[in-house]
Amino acid sequence: MLARVLVGAAVGLVLFVSGTWGTLALSYQLPGPSYVRIVGAGAWSVAWLGLCAALVVWRPWWAPVAMLIALSALGLWWTTVRPSNDRVWADDVSRLVSGTIDGSRVTLHNVRHFDWRGDDDYDARWETRQYDLDHLAGVDAILSYWSGEAIAHAMLSFGFDDGRHLVFSVEIRRERGEAFSEVGGFFKQFELILLAADERDIVRVRTNVRGEDDYLFPLRMPREAMRSLFVSYVEAANRMTHEPRFYNTVTSNCTTIVYRMARRIDSGLPLDPRLLLTGYLPEYFMDVGALDPRLGVETWRRLGRITDRARATTAKDDFSSAIRVGVPSAQSSSSGADTL
């Protein structure tokens, strides 16, 4: 009896998940205006519920066959939904960064350096910049909290010994007028973009314009690991210029992609739920030795909170220096022991 109940519950769960997935997939990706998507998703829901009722009440042989055919057809259609670099993009994600590497010298095209006054009020600038990897001085993780303590956007900032900082950030590539949706992120609503940007742009817009709360954590990382990670970002950016990808809320987001690149440097980095619950990344950094253990996580959070310092800066200030006032520097290790 118990076995029958468990099997029935499992079948019911599968039917519910399958039907819900189909409804959401059609509501987000069915071609045409919004009313077409609504009608299509509604028709799927009604048909699926009808098949479920038939399966439970009358149990005709054709009900499971019809379900299998419907799911197969939906799955085949789903494979035809492909990412693209050719859409009408929002201004701040309109260009793709790319780069060339010549020995230690890297030339990056389309580095973003906007001057933000509001979400819809800015001076747009895209620049070509050169960096010498022999002069890498440090890597900082920047977490921008926008939805409670468990959810933050993660970025990596590479610092050079001349005082310059470059941030790499994996983000959704919004079309003009499009807004972020966590659910849509499961259903191919957004393409993925890798941005390279000035800290005054990509950090300040979050603290000073969007009201987010930002923290900076200097990572303990050997110089060769810094260099390898920077190159990995450039290589990933170049691939995205001709191989567009979809953003996915779980499998392809701001931390999972960085994790995969970091695994190329240290294959022993563990998978962890905190790679999805990004607000708890500082604890993960501490556990893997990427944060100096002489300070506890809460001390790092207190010292690394840069929100107020960012909001106090003026156009004449050196933004990168100002936000780092009071933040201890990382203790890099040439051997790489106990570091990311």
Side-chain angles (χ1 to χ4, degrees), residues 169-188:
S169 177
V170 176
E171 304 188 7
I172 64 167
R173 196 177 192 191
R174 295 172 293 106
E175 295 179 55
R176 189 165 295 169
E178 194 174 39
F180 177 67
S181 163
E182 290 91 343
V183 176
F186 287 102
F187 293 95
K188 300 183 179 181

Side-chain angles (χ1 to χ4, degrees), residues 101 106 133 158 226-236 264:
I101 302 173
V106 178
L133 299 182
F158 290 81
M226 297 180 202
R227 183 182 184 124
S228 179
L229 191 56
F230 193 103
V231 169
S232 294
Y233 268 112
V234 177
E235 292 173 346
R264 293 171 52 184

Side-chain angles (χ1 to χ4, degrees), residues 4-330:
R4 291 181 61 185
V5 171
L6 292 176
V7 169
V11 171
L13 180 62
V14 170
L15 293 176
F16 173 77
V17 171
S18 300
T20 302
W21 181 87
T23 299
L24 290 171
L26 290 167
S27 67
Y28 278 102
Q29 289 299 334
L30 193 65
S34 58
Y35 72 85
V36 172
R37 295 194 295 273
I38 292 172
V39 170
W44 167 271
S45 298
V46 171
W48 191 259
L49 288 173
L51 288 171
C52 288
L55 182 67
V56 173
V57 177
W58 299 292
R59 300 181 182 179
W61 65 267
W62 51 262
V65 174
M67 286 179 163
L68 183 61
I69 292 173
L71 284 174
S72 298
L74 193 67
L76 287 174
W77 163 74
W78 188 248
T79 64
T80 68
V81 181
R82 299 295 179 87
S84 173
N85 283 331
D86 186 18
R87 305 191 194 277
V88 181
W89 304 110
D91 289 343
D92 57 326
V93 291
S94 61
R95 301 191 188 185
L96 295 170
V97 64
S98 62
T100 57
I101 302 173
D102 182 12
S104 67
R105 295 190 176 276
V106 178
T107 301
L108 291 179
H109 306 284
N110 292 326
V111 176
R112 202 182 77 187
H113 189 192
F114 281 30
D115 183 14
W116 297 87
R117 293 175 294 274
D119 256 334
D120 300 311
D121 182 14
Y122 45 78
D123 296 323
R125 289 192 298 270
W126 299 91
E127 301 174 349
T128 295
R129 294 186 179 183
Q130 292 186 330
Y131 298 91
D132 189 338
L133 299 182
D134 287 341
H135 292 273
L136 268 173
V139 178
D140 302 320
I142 299 176
L143 301 184
S144 190
Y145 288 78
W146 55 275
S147 182
E149 67 177 19
I151 303 298
H153 179 68
M155 303 172 279
L156 285 187
S157 180
F158 290 81
F160 294 81
D161 57 16
D162 61 359
R164 292 191 299 166
H165 293 265
L166 180 74
V167 178
F168 284 106
S169 177
V170 176
E171 304 188 7
I172 64 167
R173 196 177 192 191
R174 295 172 293 106
E175 295 179 55
R176 189 165 295 169
E178 194 174 39
F180 177 67
S181 163
E182 290 91 343
V183 176
F186 287 102
F187 293 95
K188 300 183 179 181
Q189 184 178 6
F190 309 107
E191 274 81 5
L192 194 72
I193 189 170
L194 175 56
L195 290 170
D198 191 273
E199 284 188 336
R200 177 178 285 277
D201 169 345
I202 204 164
V203 176
R204 185 177 175 276
V205 69
R206 293 177 177 276
T207 55
N208 295 34
V209 174
R210 298 174 185 168
E212 299 179 13
D213 194 19
D214 282 30
Y215 295 75
L216 185 146
F217 300 94
L219 300 180
R220 302 171 70 219
M221 189 179 296
R223 192 175 301 276
E224 282 307 309
M226 297 180 202
R227 183 182 184 124
S228 179
L229 191 56
F230 193 103
V231 169
S232 294
Y233 268 112
V234 177
E235 292 173 346
N238 288 340
R239 284 194 299 271
M240 287 184 186
T241 62
H242 58 272
E243 297 176 8
R245 297 176 57 182
F246 280 120
Y247 172 92
N248 185 280
T249 303
V250 171
T251 62
S252 188
N253 57 43
C254 66
T255 52
T256 56
I257 289 176
V258 176
Y259 170 77
R260 286 196 288 270
M261 289 192 291
R263 284 266 300 182
R264 293 171 52 184
I265 302 167
D266 182 357
S267 60
L269 283 177
L271 274 172
D272 192 284
R274 290 169 292 189
L275 295 169
L276 298 178
L277 299 174
T278 45
Y280 304 120
L281 277 175
E283 286 81 359
Y284 178 78
F285 294 151
M286 183 67 75
D287 288 347
V288 300
L291 276 180
D292 191 328
R294 292 179 297 178
L295 299 177
V297 171
E298 290 309 311
T299 300
W300 274 115
R301 286 187 185 274
R302 177 174 57 82
L303 297 176
R305 186 173 183 268
I306 62 175
T307 306
D308 294 335
R309 294 192 289 272
R311 292 174 181 170
T313 57
T314 68
K316 296 181 180 179
D317 292 329
D318 181 334
F319 182 83
S320 294
S321 295
I323 63 175
R324 286 174 171 78
V325 172
V327 181
S329 61

